[in-house]
Amino acid sequence: MSPDILSAAGTIPSSCLHSIFRTAERVEEETGVDVVKLHVGDPYFNPSDDVADAFVDAVRRGKTKYTGVEGLPELRAAAVEKLRADNDVDSAVSRLLISPGSCQGLAALMQSLVEPGAEILLPELHWPVHLQQSLLAGFRPVLYSLGADFRPDPEVIAAAATPRTRVLLINSPANPTGVVLNRDEIGALLELARTRGWHVISDEAYEHFCYEGEHISVASLERDVPVAERIVHSVFTFSKSFAMTGYRLGYVALANDRAADVMKVVQEANIIGTSTPVQYAGIAALNGRSEAAATNRKLVQHNRDVALPPLMRAGLLRELPAGGWYAMLDVGRTGLDAETFAMRLLESKGVAVVPGNGFAMRPDVDDRGHIRSHDYAPWARHLIRVAFCVDPTWLETGVHRLLEFVDECGGSGLDSTG
Ligand SMILES: Cc1ncc(COP(=O)(O)O)c(C=O)c1O
């Protein structure tokens, strides 16, 4: 018999995103019919030919050896220039690390910042991966309540913090809520973090997908602070802006040189380096970034503007998301809880969505960082997340079938999780 697994990882449940992903694949296999996939943030459009050509060309030229753990200097220089020109962020090649996807960059960043007993502040409605990463790194997650319309309130965050708080995570535009924070809101959060001596992790995966308001990079608000005193670590991805999800490429702009040196060591142990031909593709993507990002934003915004209003008219969605790729629907009037709704919708209509309670998990963590038990915020009981970055025809079909399903459920409002 093999020894038991007693790690903290062994107590972390699989995220709702992966559970529904696997279930949708199983349904497809069993029925032989394509599922309408509104559950994954994977776009229907592709990277430009330049990106594919750069990848293939790098492979053919034998650019397939290890690079330094930090990434190719040319790619890092291109990312620094992009941050300067587009994000108003003052980074430097020495402080910028390439990672195999921003998810890995986030995980490594958390490993770099964690210390025994340290707490990380996450919003109560969050991307489940942020919570998993926090726990795996060894942080105790502290989930703070969001205000009206899922916006963070610095006073609430200050009250949730403790002397052990080390990190505040900001994700704007947000997954799953679509909230885009404005300059004042970000300024207030940064001020709080600075006063309390916290690090800030800014996950800007959806930086190019703002439909109302503009994207403000958190680090742009500390560009006049001496580098050694900066606290904002910013994480970016090629997955969303350039539709490069399967390439697995991201980058982290560390606040200061010390943080960059620490994260380099973490990455030495984790990845050795990022795929070399993929990094060449990344250089091509950054070279053509303005056109690609603008085109892709228009495509997703068009989807939002065309496909989501029927959900609003049906009373399932209050307003169009200001940013990101997702809409949170409230299906309370069907009387079904989120998980039952998602499962029945998949089985009866072949449409996959993510139950929203999975974005509001509340783990009870012991001193060793093991989850003793977990539950879900009761207010998330009827929330469903729909991705609107998918093919417009599929999206329309998915929304149509979802509305049909809601009608068939009737509107008793009685809770029958049955
Ligand atoms: C908020 C957020 N951050 C980061 C990522 C990770 O993207 P990747 O690892 O593909 O760069 C995602 C992917 O869905 C996301 O939603």
Side-chain angles (χ1 to χ4, degrees):
M1 202 172 81
S2 65
D4 206 356
I5 294 179
L6 301 171
S7 61
T11 68
I12 301 174
S14 174
S15 100
C16 54
L17 300 164
H18 290 274
S19 310
I20 193 79
F21 193 91
R22 286 190 283 264
T23 312
E25 285 196 332
R26 180 177 52 75
V27 168
E28 272 187 340
E29 226 173 77
E30 282 171 9
T31 61
V33 179
D34 283 345
V35 161
V36 180
K37 299 187 176 103
L38 306 186
H39 59 306
V40 205
D42 215 337
Y44 73 98
F45 38 86
N46 290 316
S48 70
D49 287 348
D50 288 356
V51 171
D53 290 345
F55 175 83
V56 172
D57 185 54
V59 173
R60 292 213 186 285
R61 283 188 299 134
K63 300 286 184 191
T64 48
K65 308 290 183 196
Y66 289 132
T67 64
V69 70
E70 309 87 342
L72 278 175
E74 305 92 293
L75 176 57
R76 291 156 71 212
V80 167
E81 171 52 21
K82 174 259 180 193
L83 288 175
R84 187 197 62 76
D86 300 359
N87 301 74
D88 205 19
V89 168
D90 164 47
S91 185
V93 170
S94 62
R95 302 195 295 275
L96 190 133
L97 307 188
I98 305 300
S99 58
S102 70
C103 189
Q104 198 284 328
L106 281 161
L109 180 55
M110 289 190 196
Q111 286 178 46
S112 310
L113 301 177
V114 77
E115 40 187 275
E119 293 177 354
I120 183 168
L121 287 159
L122 303 176
E124 58 184 347
L125 195 58
H126 49 261
W127 186 44
V129 178
H130 287 148
L131 179 63
Q132 290 181 322
Q133 292 174 328
S134 304
L135 290 161
L136 284 171
F139 278 108
R140 288 181 67 81
V142 173
L143 302 164
Y144 60 84
S145 315
L146 291 166
D149 302 330
F150 301 131
R151 305 191 90 83
D153 176 342
E155 280 183 25
V156 171
I157 296 176
T162 77
R164 293 181 299 280
T165 303
R166 298 296 290 140
V167 177
L168 171 67
L169 187 138
I170 300 177
N171 172 217
S172 173
N175 177 4
T177 62
V179 166
V180 175
L181 299 180
N182 63 38
R183 190 176 291 275
D184 290 346
E185 288 171 310
I186 289 181
L189 294 178
L190 185 56
E191 182 57 29
L192 174 65
R194 184 163 289 289
T195 319
R196 298 292 183 99
W198 303 336
H199 294 271
V200 172
I201 294 180
S202 178
D203 179 346
E204 304 186 22
Y206 298 93
E207 60 174 326
H208 288 112
F209 298 90
C210 282
Y211 319 114
E212 277 137 49
E214 55 165 336
H215 175 64
I216 308 287
S217 283
V218 184
S220 69
L221 302 194
E222 64 168 12
R223 61 170 304 137
D224 297 328
V225 174
V227 173
E229 293 168 28
R230 294 183 188 168
I231 61 171
V232 181
H233 312 281
S234 315
V235 186
F236 297 89
T237 181
F238 289 74
S239 292
K240 312 291 173 175
S241 306
F242 313 119
M244 290 171 67
T245 46
Y247 280 75
R248 312 306 304 130
L249 191 62
Y251 52 102
V252 182
L254 281 306
N256 51 55
D257 296 299
R258 169 74 183 136
D261 288 344
V262 174
M263 189 165 146
K264 269 181 224 168
V265 176
V266 170
Q267 291 296 57
E268 284 172 15
N270 274 336
I271 58 166
I272 300 184
T274 301
S275 158
T276 306
V278 165
Q279 294 190 65
Y280 280 97
I283 296 173
L286 288 183
N287 286 341
R289 69 181 184 273
S290 305
E291 206 188 315
T295 306
N296 296 342
R297 181 187 57 73
K298 271 191 214 137
L299 292 174
V300 183
Q301 179 163 4
H302 181 77
N303 274 358
R304 180 194 83 139
D305 295 347
V306 172
L308 301 190
L311 295 166
M312 291 171 71
R313 285 195 290 277
L316 302 177
L317 176 66
R318 244 185 327 144
E319 54 183 23
L320 294 179
W325 286 6
Y326 312 100
M328 284 303 255
L329 311 185
D330 186 332
V331 296
R333 64 176 249 225
T334 62
L336 300 178
D337 69 65
E339 284 177 13
T340 311
F341 182 96
M343 203 44 78
R344 290 197 191 160
L345 180 68
L346 182 57
E347 281 163 1
S348 67
K349 301 282 179 190
V351 178
V353 296
V354 192
N357 56 338
F359 298 85
M361 192 178 102
R362 304 185 302 189
D364 175 22
V365 181
D366 70 16
D367 288 342
R368 298 169 305 158
H370 289 203
I371 299 183
R372 269 190 293 247
S373 61
H374 68 274
D375 66 1
Y376 299 98
W379 47 260
R381 187 174 170 74
H382 299 293
L383 297 180
I384 291 291
R385 194 195 74 170
V386 168
F388 55 89
C389 54
V390 303
D391 175 84
T393 314
W394 280 103
L395 181 59
E396 200 192 332
T397 306
V399 167
H400 177 76
R401 291 191 199 166
L402 188 149
L403 288 171
E404 223 172 50
F405 178 72
V406 168
D407 276 350
E408 287 164 17
C409 287
S412 73
L414 290 177
D415 210 326
S416 83
T417 50

